[in-house]
Amino acid sequence: MNYQRSSSLFATAKKYIPGGVNSPVRAFKAVGGDPIFVKEAKGAYLYDEDGNKLIDYIASWGPLILGHAHGPVIDAVVEKAKKGTSFGMPTEIETQLAQLAVSMVPNIDKIRFVNSGTEACMSAVRLARGFTGKDKIIKFAGCYHGHSDSFLIQAGSGAVTFGSPNSPGVTQGTARDTLLAAYNDLEGVKALIKANKGELAAIIIEPIAGNMGCVVPTTAFIEGLREVCTQNDILLIFDEVMTGFRLGRGGAQEALGIDADILCFGKVIGGGLPVGAFAARTEIMDYLAPQGPVYQAGTLSGNPLAMSAGLAMLTELNDRPEIFQSLADKTEYLHKGLDRVLSKKEIAYQINRYGSMISVHFTDSPVTDFTSSAKGNNERFKAYFHGMLAKGIYLPPSAFESYFLNDALRYADLDETIKALESLNL
Ligand code: KE4
């Protein structure tokens, strides 16, 4: 496949945009080579600037769960845009999306819209600190909650790719209030709670992790986490930016049967436009300005254009919940096919999967946390990524990411993906 125009566009982009991209993980640093520039997309397919057609497994990192340029979403956005895009004033559609989200997600009475998952998680932590009057939080190595200072401590996703888990610019003062635990290590969490008695406002976690590849919590760990939070008056924050409205109407809370105190959303809730959100029971949410003392704001928060995309997407998912099972079935089919092919190649590999989230790791030990994920053979991952790309399969350009299947993918696309892997020498 020819990528000349992408490379030329990348060279120009680098003159005006740091690293040529507006988000680091897109730059292919983890896999080498120049990033692919997309011209347009429809359904499960990307069409790049060199005329290549690619089967898409990232769906803009999760949002496009119904496929690219999905008719009802596009129609809603076009119609709304004709009436103005944003007013900085309340509009009915914000309440309509809020009401729908609250009806779909367990344990929330109210929701506040923001413009990204980062804003959602950052605001959720500030709210937890304001509500509890305590400063410290626990996060997990390999989990990524956006690029707010408090989270860039052994973060996952692009932050790991750059091998600079503690980003310059994050002060010691900030880092001091973020404690680090290992995913699936409940004893480690208990030790941190004991050593910081009475100081912990919240524990924030990706309930199904996607930013160290897909990593699934053990039942004992996630149930134990809920228990220790309750026992120690610590708020449990589920970062459902990836899992929310992807694993099912009620996201990871419903799938795992765990009640969180504050929920963070992004990606799917915006239908492909910039929307994040955080939500909780009234007692907590009413601490937020202008109702309560915890300040949080945003010029474009809840803008009707983005709301129209989110409302169209969540309405369809709410009306057609069978989509979630269909996505999980397709992901299981892909898992079995990749497993069948890789098992014949006599190489060490693991495939982690939950719902429509899946990832391949080239390591012989189970991937249950960041340490085990980081043991993956990245040279082999690079060969895998570029080999699949050469066959027209677009996977996440980093081993520290999850794939996101979309509803437009057909079984024929999955077969083509499995066949492409069969042709690779890894
Ligand atoms: P954004 O600020 O990128 O909208 O969301 C931050 C975020 C928060 N929480 C979770 C669980 C997330 O996965 C993310 C963002 N995900 C990455 C992909 N792993 C976004 C891709 C990128 O950084 O360009």
Side-chain angles (χ1 to χ4, degrees):
M1 300 181 106
N2 157 35
Y3 294 118
Q4 273 173 351
R5 181 152 168 70
S6 277
S7 294
S8 146
L9 289 169
F10 188 46
T12 306
K14 282 190 284 191
K15 291 180 191 157
Y16 304 101
I17 302 170
V21 292
N22 285 304
S23 197
V25 76
R26 304 177 191 167
F28 278 24
K29 285 282 184 201
V31 292
D34 290 343
I36 306 291
F37 277 59
V38 180
K39 194 183 188 77
E40 57 188 303
K42 180 69 180 163
Y45 311 124
L46 302 166
Y47 300 90
D48 73 14
E49 288 286 353
D50 290 283
N52 300 308
K53 176 183 174 185
L54 303 169
I55 299 175
D56 181 22
Y57 282 98
I58 67 167
S60 185
W61 300 100
L64 284 309
I65 192 170
L66 296 176
H68 291 283
H70 183 65
V73 174
I74 299 302
D75 294 346
V77 169
V78 169
E79 280 318 300
K80 186 56 79 176
K82 290 175 184 169
K83 297 170 185 158
T85 53
S86 180
F87 313 111
M89 298 160 69
T91 57
E92 181 185 12
I93 194 167
E94 295 162 74
T95 309
Q96 289 168 332
L97 183 54
Q99 209 167 350
L100 177 56
V102 167
S103 74
M104 294 170 78
V105 177
N107 299 307
I108 64 170
D109 301 320
K110 294 185 178 178
I111 189 168
R112 170 62 62 86
F113 292 113
V114 292
N115 302 281
S116 68
T118 295
E119 268 192 272
C121 296
M122 174 182 79
S123 308
V125 163
R126 183 182 313 136
L127 176 60
R129 287 172 164 154
F131 180 77
T132 62
K134 298 183 278 185
D135 294 345
K136 292 184 175 174
I137 62 169
I138 291 176
K139 78 172 288 288
F140 294 87
C143 281
Y144 178 71
H145 306 294
H147 63 90
S148 163
D149 283 6
S150 297
F151 302 135
L152 288 180
I153 316 290
Q154 283 230 336
S157 184
V160 176
T161 307
F162 287 77
S164 58
N166 300 311
S167 166
V170 177
T171 66
Q172 279 311 316
T174 301
R176 211 178 10 251
D177 285 336
T178 299
L179 307 176
L180 210 58
Y183 206 85
N184 278 319
D185 174 12
L186 186 61
E187 291 314 307
V189 173
K190 287 179 179 174
L192 281 175
I193 292 174
K194 190 160 179 266
N196 296 274
K197 210 94 187 105
E199 297 184 77
L200 281 157
I203 294 180
I204 185 166
I205 189 167
E206 290 182 54
I208 305 293
N211 287 293
M212 37 185 155
C214 177
V215 173
V216 183
T218 63
T219 303
F221 170 68
I222 201 74
E223 287 180 352
L225 203 58
R226 173 63 275 173
E227 206 177 307
V228 294
C229 281
T230 305
Q231 287 164 351
N232 293 278
D233 288 328
I234 298 168
L235 293 180
L236 180 56
I237 302 176
F238 267 12
D239 173 356
E240 293 222 44
V241 167
M242 276 192 183
T243 55
F245 311 105
R246 170 167 284 280
L247 297 184
R249 296 169 75 255
Q253 283 190 109
E254 186 180 64
L256 297 170
I258 299 286
D259 295 349
D261 296 302
I262 303 179
L263 284 299
C264 304
F265 299 108
K267 300 181 193 282
V268 172
I269 198 170
L273 293 194
V275 179
F278 58 110
R281 57 185 186 272
T282 299
E283 179 195 13
I284 296 174
M285 291 305 280
D286 279 0
Y287 254 72
L288 269 179
Q291 184 76 27
V294 177
Y295 196 70
Q296 182 276 327
T299 302
L300 289 167
S301 295
N303 74 79
L305 187 64
M307 293 291 102
S308 68
L311 185 60
M313 185 165 275
L314 258 55
T315 300
E316 185 158 347
L317 291 171
N318 192 46
D319 293 348
R320 294 175 54 213
E322 66 276 11
I323 289 176
F324 298 114
Q325 190 52 53
S326 161
L327 272 173
D329 294 344
K330 288 175 182 175
T331 310
E332 183 183 15
Y333 181 89
L334 179 67
H335 182 162
K336 285 181 176 162
L338 297 179
D339 191 32
R340 189 175 58 250
V341 168
L342 286 172
S343 62
K344 292 182 205 138
K345 292 186 181 291
E346 290 170 6
I347 54 174
Y349 70 95
Q350 307 287 327
I351 301 177
N352 286 3
R353 169 172 59 91
Y354 196 99
S356 59
M357 297 167 65
I358 184 172
S359 57
V360 175
H361 303 260
F362 295 106
T363 176
D364 52 11
S365 48
V367 176
T368 58
D369 59 13
F370 174 57
T371 303
S372 48
S373 176
K375 283 184 184 150
N377 177 332
N378 201 50
E379 285 312 304
R380 180 157 286 153
F381 182 83
K382 284 181 182 179
Y384 167 61
F385 173 80
H386 282 292
M388 295 295 269
L389 181 59
K391 298 282 181 182
I393 312 298
Y394 192 75
L395 302 174
S398 162
F400 299 108
E401 298 292 353
S402 171
Y403 308 2
F404 298 100
L405 273 71
N406 70 73
D407 185 48
L409 279 164
R410 301 162 306 134
Y411 278 91
D413 300 315
L414 305 178
D415 288 334
E416 189 175 334
T417 305
I418 295 158
K419 199 157 139 264
L421 178 60
E422 206 148 30
S423 71
L424 300 191
N425 292 315
L426 292 177

Short mmCIF file of all heavy atoms in Angstrom, two decimals, residues 22-26 60-61 115-121 143-147 156-158 205-206 208-211 239-243 264-267 275-276 400-402 404, ligand 1:
data_model
loop_
_atom_site.label_atom_id
_atom_site.label_comp_id
_atom_site.label_asym_id
_atom_site.label_seq_id
_atom_site.Cartn_x
_atom_site.Cartn_y
_atom_site.Cartn_z
N ASN A 22 -2.36 16.42 16.88
CA ASN A 22 -3.00 17.11 18.01
C ASN A 22 -3.28 16.19 19.19
O ASN A 22 -3.92 16.60 20.15
CB ASN A 22 -4.28 17.80 17.53
CG ASN A 22 -3.93 19.06 16.73
OD1 ASN A 22 -3.23 19.94 17.24
ND2 ASN A 22 -4.35 19.10 15.49
N SER A 23 -2.80 14.96 19.07
CA SER A 23 -2.81 14.06 20.22
C SER A 23 -1.71 13.03 19.98
O SER A 23 -1.68 12.39 18.92
CB SER A 23 -4.18 13.37 20.35
OG SER A 23 -4.31 12.84 21.65
N PRO A 24 -0.78 12.90 20.95
CA PRO A 24 0.47 12.15 20.71
C PRO A 24 0.30 10.72 20.19
O PRO A 24 1.05 10.29 19.32
CB PRO A 24 1.14 12.16 22.08
CG PRO A 24 0.62 13.39 22.74
CD PRO A 24 -0.81 13.53 22.27
N VAL A 25 -0.72 10.01 20.69
CA VAL A 25 -0.79 8.59 20.34
C VAL A 25 -1.00 8.39 18.84
O VAL A 25 -0.75 7.33 18.29
CB VAL A 25 -1.88 7.88 21.17
CG1 VAL A 25 -3.27 8.21 20.65
CG2 VAL A 25 -1.67 6.38 21.18
N ARG A 26 -1.47 9.43 18.15
CA ARG A 26 -1.71 9.31 16.70
C ARG A 26 -0.41 9.32 15.89
O ARG A 26 -0.44 9.02 14.70
CB ARG A 26 -2.54 10.49 16.21
CG ARG A 26 -3.85 10.67 16.92
CD ARG A 26 -4.58 11.92 16.43
NE ARG A 26 -5.70 12.24 17.29
CZ ARG A 26 -6.35 13.41 17.24
NH1 ARG A 26 -5.97 14.35 16.38
NH2 ARG A 26 -7.34 13.66 18.07
N SER A 60 -12.17 6.06 16.17
CA SER A 60 -11.79 7.31 16.82
C SER A 60 -11.56 7.10 18.33
O SER A 60 -11.89 7.94 19.15
CB SER A 60 -12.86 8.40 16.62
OG SER A 60 -12.42 9.64 17.18
N TRP A 61 -11.01 5.96 18.67
CA TRP A 61 -10.70 5.56 20.06
C TRP A 61 -11.98 5.33 20.86
O TRP A 61 -12.05 5.62 22.04
CB TRP A 61 -9.78 6.57 20.76
CG TRP A 61 -8.48 6.72 20.05
CD1 TRP A 61 -8.11 7.71 19.20
CD2 TRP A 61 -7.38 5.80 20.07
NE1 TRP A 61 -6.85 7.47 18.69
CE2 TRP A 61 -6.39 6.32 19.21
CE3 TRP A 61 -7.14 4.60 20.73
CZ2 TRP A 61 -5.17 5.66 18.99
CZ3 TRP A 61 -5.93 3.94 20.52
CH2 TRP A 61 -4.96 4.48 19.66
N ASN A 115 -16.33 18.87 27.89
CA ASN A 115 -15.95 18.75 26.49
C ASN A 115 -14.95 17.64 26.19
O ASN A 115 -14.51 17.51 25.05
CB ASN A 115 -15.38 20.10 26.01
CG ASN A 115 -16.40 21.21 26.20
OD1 ASN A 115 -17.32 21.35 25.42
ND2 ASN A 115 -16.25 21.95 27.29
N SER A 116 -14.58 16.88 27.20
CA SER A 116 -13.63 15.77 26.96
C SER A 116 -13.65 14.83 28.16
O SER A 116 -14.14 15.18 29.23
CB SER A 116 -12.21 16.33 26.79
OG SER A 116 -11.75 16.87 28.03
N GLY A 117 -13.06 13.67 27.95
CA GLY A 117 -12.94 12.73 29.06
C GLY A 117 -12.01 13.25 30.14
O GLY A 117 -12.22 13.05 31.34
N THR A 118 -10.96 13.98 29.67
CA THR A 118 -10.03 14.59 30.64
C THR A 118 -10.78 15.52 31.58
O THR A 118 -10.64 15.46 32.81
CB THR A 118 -8.95 15.39 29.89
OG1 THR A 118 -8.14 14.51 29.11
CG2 THR A 118 -8.07 16.18 30.86
N GLU A 119 -11.60 16.40 31.00
CA GLU A 119 -12.36 17.35 31.83
C GLU A 119 -13.30 16.61 32.77
O GLU A 119 -13.49 17.00 33.92
CB GLU A 119 -13.21 18.26 30.92
CG GLU A 119 -12.60 19.55 30.50
CD GLU A 119 -13.66 20.44 29.87
OE1 GLU A 119 -13.88 20.32 28.65
OE2 GLU A 119 -14.30 21.20 30.60
N ALA A 120 -13.87 15.53 32.27
CA ALA A 120 -14.82 14.77 33.11
C ALA A 120 -14.11 14.20 34.34
O ALA A 120 -14.57 14.37 35.47
CB ALA A 120 -15.46 13.65 32.28
N CYS A 121 -12.96 13.58 34.10
CA CYS A 121 -12.23 12.93 35.21
C CYS A 121 -11.61 13.96 36.15
O CYS A 121 -11.66 13.82 37.38
CB CYS A 121 -11.14 12.01 34.65
SG CYS A 121 -11.78 10.62 33.70
N CYS A 143 -3.54 2.95 34.12
CA CYS A 143 -4.85 3.54 33.81
C CYS A 143 -4.64 4.97 33.36
O CYS A 143 -3.79 5.70 33.90
CB CYS A 143 -5.75 3.50 35.05
SG CYS A 143 -6.49 1.89 35.34
N TYR A 144 -5.43 5.39 32.38
CA TYR A 144 -5.32 6.74 31.84
C TYR A 144 -6.65 7.44 32.03
O TYR A 144 -7.70 6.90 31.63
CB TYR A 144 -4.96 6.68 30.36
CG TYR A 144 -4.85 8.02 29.67
CD1 TYR A 144 -3.78 8.89 29.94
CD2 TYR A 144 -5.80 8.44 28.75
CE1 TYR A 144 -3.67 10.12 29.31
CE2 TYR A 144 -5.70 9.67 28.11
CZ TYR A 144 -4.63 10.50 28.39
OH TYR A 144 -4.53 11.72 27.77
N HIS A 145 -6.59 8.61 32.64
CA HIS A 145 -7.84 9.35 32.91
C HIS A 145 -7.79 10.72 32.26
O HIS A 145 -8.42 11.67 32.72
CB HIS A 145 -8.05 9.48 34.42
CG HIS A 145 -8.01 8.16 35.14
ND1 HIS A 145 -8.96 7.18 34.97
CD2 HIS A 145 -7.09 7.65 36.01
CE1 HIS A 145 -8.63 6.12 35.70
NE2 HIS A 145 -7.52 6.38 36.34
N GLY A 146 -6.97 10.84 31.19
CA GLY A 146 -6.80 12.13 30.54
C GLY A 146 -5.53 12.80 31.02
O GLY A 146 -4.79 12.25 31.84
N HIS A 147 -5.27 13.98 30.51
CA HIS A 147 -3.95 14.60 30.73
C HIS A 147 -3.96 15.68 31.81
O HIS A 147 -3.07 16.54 31.86
CB HIS A 147 -3.42 15.18 29.41
CG HIS A 147 -4.27 16.28 28.86
ND1 HIS A 147 -4.05 17.61 29.18
CD2 HIS A 147 -5.36 16.26 28.04
CE1 HIS A 147 -4.98 18.34 28.57
NE2 HIS A 147 -5.77 17.57 27.90
N GLY A 156 -1.49 5.53 31.53
CA GLY A 156 -1.45 4.57 30.43
C GLY A 156 -1.53 5.29 29.10
O GLY A 156 -1.23 6.47 29.01
N SER A 157 -1.99 4.56 28.08
CA SER A 157 -2.19 5.12 26.74
C SER A 157 -0.91 5.80 26.23
O SER A 157 0.17 5.32 26.43
CB SER A 157 -3.36 6.13 26.77
OG SER A 157 -3.61 6.61 25.47
N GLY A 158 -1.08 6.98 25.63
CA GLY A 158 0.05 7.64 24.98
C GLY A 158 1.15 8.00 25.97
O GLY A 158 2.32 8.05 25.61
N ILE A 205 -10.62 4.57 38.90
CA ILE A 205 -10.19 3.37 38.18
C ILE A 205 -10.92 3.25 36.85
O ILE A 205 -12.08 3.70 36.73
CB ILE A 205 -10.43 2.10 39.04
CG1 ILE A 205 -9.77 0.88 38.39
CG2 ILE A 205 -11.92 1.88 39.29
CD1 ILE A 205 -9.68 -0.33 39.30
N GLU A 206 -10.26 2.67 35.86
CA GLU A 206 -10.95 2.22 34.65
C GLU A 206 -11.53 0.85 35.00
O GLU A 206 -10.75 -0.11 35.17
CB GLU A 206 -9.97 2.06 33.50
CG GLU A 206 -9.38 3.32 32.92
CD GLU A 206 -8.46 3.00 31.75
OE1 GLU A 206 -8.90 2.32 30.81
OE2 GLU A 206 -7.29 3.43 31.80
N ILE A 208 -13.02 -1.55 33.49
CA ILE A 208 -12.36 -2.49 32.58
C ILE A 208 -11.28 -1.61 31.95
O ILE A 208 -11.62 -0.62 31.27
CB ILE A 208 -13.30 -3.00 31.46
CG1 ILE A 208 -14.56 -3.62 32.05
CG2 ILE A 208 -12.54 -3.96 30.56
CD1 ILE A 208 -14.38 -4.88 32.81
N ALA A 209 -10.03 -1.92 32.18
CA ALA A 209 -8.99 -1.01 31.69
C ALA A 209 -8.81 -1.19 30.18
O ALA A 209 -8.97 -2.28 29.63
CB ALA A 209 -7.68 -1.28 32.42
N GLY A 210 -8.49 -0.07 29.50
CA GLY A 210 -8.26 -0.13 28.05
C GLY A 210 -6.94 0.53 27.68
O GLY A 210 -6.50 0.46 26.55
N ASN A 211 -6.29 1.17 28.66
CA ASN A 211 -5.11 1.99 28.33
C ASN A 211 -3.78 1.34 28.67
O ASN A 211 -2.76 2.00 28.67
CB ASN A 211 -5.24 3.35 29.01
CG ASN A 211 -6.29 4.20 28.33
OD1 ASN A 211 -6.12 4.59 27.17
ND2 ASN A 211 -7.41 4.44 29.00
N ASP A 239 -14.05 5.50 35.97
CA ASP A 239 -13.79 6.23 34.72
C ASP A 239 -14.34 5.37 33.57
O ASP A 239 -13.66 4.46 33.10
CB ASP A 239 -12.29 6.50 34.56
CG ASP A 239 -11.97 7.10 33.21
OD1 ASP A 239 -12.89 7.25 32.38
OD2 ASP A 239 -10.79 7.43 32.97
N GLU A 240 -15.55 5.70 33.15
CA GLU A 240 -16.22 4.93 32.09
C GLU A 240 -16.17 5.67 30.75
O GLU A 240 -17.04 5.50 29.89
CB GLU A 240 -17.65 4.61 32.51
CG GLU A 240 -17.75 3.65 33.68
CD GLU A 240 -18.84 2.60 33.48
OE1 GLU A 240 -18.95 2.04 32.37
OE2 GLU A 240 -19.58 2.31 34.44
N VAL A 241 -15.14 6.46 30.59
CA VAL A 241 -14.97 7.17 29.30
C VAL A 241 -14.96 6.17 28.16
O VAL A 241 -15.54 6.39 27.11
CB VAL A 241 -13.69 8.04 29.32
CG1 VAL A 241 -13.32 8.53 27.93
CG2 VAL A 241 -13.87 9.21 30.28
N MET A 242 -14.29 5.03 28.34
CA MET A 242 -14.26 3.99 27.30
C MET A 242 -15.46 3.04 27.44
O MET A 242 -16.09 2.69 26.45
CB MET A 242 -13.00 3.14 27.46
CG MET A 242 -11.77 3.71 26.81
SD MET A 242 -10.54 2.37 26.81
CE MET A 242 -9.16 3.26 26.12
N THR A 243 -15.76 2.60 28.64
CA THR A 243 -16.74 1.52 28.82
C THR A 243 -18.18 2.02 28.80
O THR A 243 -19.10 1.26 28.48
CB THR A 243 -16.50 0.83 30.17
OG1 THR A 243 -16.51 1.83 31.21
CG2 THR A 243 -15.15 0.12 30.20
N CYS A 264 -17.52 8.81 35.23
CA CYS A 264 -16.99 9.71 34.20
C CYS A 264 -17.30 9.12 32.83
O CYS A 264 -17.16 7.91 32.63
CB CYS A 264 -15.49 9.86 34.34
SG CYS A 264 -14.98 10.42 35.97
N PHE A 265 -17.70 9.99 31.91
CA PHE A 265 -18.02 9.54 30.56
C PHE A 265 -17.30 10.40 29.53
O PHE A 265 -16.86 11.52 29.82
CB PHE A 265 -19.54 9.62 30.31
CG PHE A 265 -20.33 8.76 31.25
CD1 PHE A 265 -21.09 9.33 32.26
CD2 PHE A 265 -20.31 7.38 31.13
CE1 PHE A 265 -21.82 8.54 33.15
CE2 PHE A 265 -21.03 6.59 32.00
CZ PHE A 265 -21.78 7.16 33.02
N GLY A 266 -17.22 9.88 28.30
CA GLY A 266 -16.65 10.59 27.16
C GLY A 266 -16.96 9.73 25.94
O GLY A 266 -17.80 8.82 26.00
N LYS A 267 -16.27 10.05 24.83
CA LYS A 267 -16.35 9.18 23.65
C LYS A 267 -17.80 8.94 23.19
O LYS A 267 -18.43 9.86 22.65
CB LYS A 267 -15.59 7.88 23.91
CG LYS A 267 -14.09 8.13 24.21
CD LYS A 267 -13.32 6.86 24.44
CE LYS A 267 -11.96 7.13 25.03
NZ LYS A 267 -10.97 7.59 24.04
N VAL A 275 -17.68 15.66 23.67
CA VAL A 275 -18.50 15.66 24.89
C VAL A 275 -17.88 14.74 25.93
O VAL A 275 -17.46 13.64 25.61
CB VAL A 275 -19.94 15.16 24.62
CG1 VAL A 275 -20.76 15.15 25.92
CG2 VAL A 275 -20.64 16.02 23.58
N GLY A 276 -17.78 15.23 27.14
CA GLY A 276 -17.46 14.39 28.29
C GLY A 276 -18.57 14.65 29.31
O GLY A 276 -19.41 15.55 29.10
N PHE A 400 -0.42 -0.43 24.15
CA PHE A 400 -1.10 0.03 25.37
C PHE A 400 -2.46 0.66 25.04
O PHE A 400 -2.81 1.72 25.53
CB PHE A 400 -0.21 1.02 26.13
CG PHE A 400 1.08 0.41 26.57
CD1 PHE A 400 2.28 0.76 25.97
CD2 PHE A 400 1.10 -0.58 27.54
CE1 PHE A 400 3.48 0.17 26.35
CE2 PHE A 400 2.30 -1.19 27.93
CZ PHE A 400 3.49 -0.80 27.33
N GLU A 401 -3.17 -0.01 24.16
CA GLU A 401 -4.50 0.46 23.76
C GLU A 401 -5.42 -0.73 23.58
O GLU A 401 -4.96 -1.84 23.32
CB GLU A 401 -4.44 1.24 22.44
CG GLU A 401 -3.59 2.50 22.48
CD GLU A 401 -4.18 3.61 23.35
OE1 GLU A 401 -5.33 3.46 23.83
OE2 GLU A 401 -3.49 4.61 23.53
N SER A 402 -6.69 -0.49 23.66
CA SER A 402 -7.68 -1.51 23.34
C SER A 402 -8.21 -1.27 21.94
O SER A 402 -8.13 -0.14 21.44
CB SER A 402 -8.84 -1.40 24.36
OG SER A 402 -9.91 -2.22 23.96
N PHE A 404 -11.49 -1.12 19.49
CA PHE A 404 -12.91 -0.81 19.71
C PHE A 404 -13.69 -1.22 18.47
O PHE A 404 -13.54 -0.60 17.42
CB PHE A 404 -13.10 0.69 19.94
CG PHE A 404 -12.39 1.20 21.15
CD1 PHE A 404 -11.17 1.85 21.04
CD2 PHE A 404 -12.93 1.00 22.42
CE1 PHE A 404 -10.50 2.30 22.16
CE2 PHE A 404 -12.26 1.46 23.55
CZ PHE A 404 -11.05 2.11 23.42
P1 KE4 B 1 -10.09 12.59 26.34
O1 KE4 B 1 -9.67 13.81 27.15
O2 KE4 B 1 -9.01 12.11 25.40
O3 KE4 B 1 -11.44 12.81 25.64
O4 KE4 B 1 -10.38 11.40 27.37
C1 KE4 B 1 -9.38 11.04 28.27
C2 KE4 B 1 -9.63 9.60 28.71
C3 KE4 B 1 -10.13 9.39 29.98
N1 KE4 B 1 -10.38 8.14 30.42
C4 KE4 B 1 -10.16 7.05 29.63
C5 KE4 B 1 -10.47 5.69 30.16
C6 KE4 B 1 -9.65 7.23 28.32
O5 KE4 B 1 -9.43 6.15 27.54
C7 KE4 B 1 -9.39 8.52 27.85
C8 KE4 B 1 -8.82 8.78 26.47
N2 KE4 B 1 -8.48 7.62 25.72
C9 KE4 B 1 -7.39 7.78 24.76
C10 KE4 B 1 -7.19 6.43 24.06
N3 KE4 B 1 -6.67 5.46 24.95
C11 KE4 B 1 -7.65 8.88 23.80
C12 KE4 B 1 -6.77 8.88 22.57
C13 KE4 B 1 -5.82 10.04 22.59
O6 KE4 B 1 -5.23 10.36 23.65
O7 KE4 B 1 -5.66 10.63 21.50
#
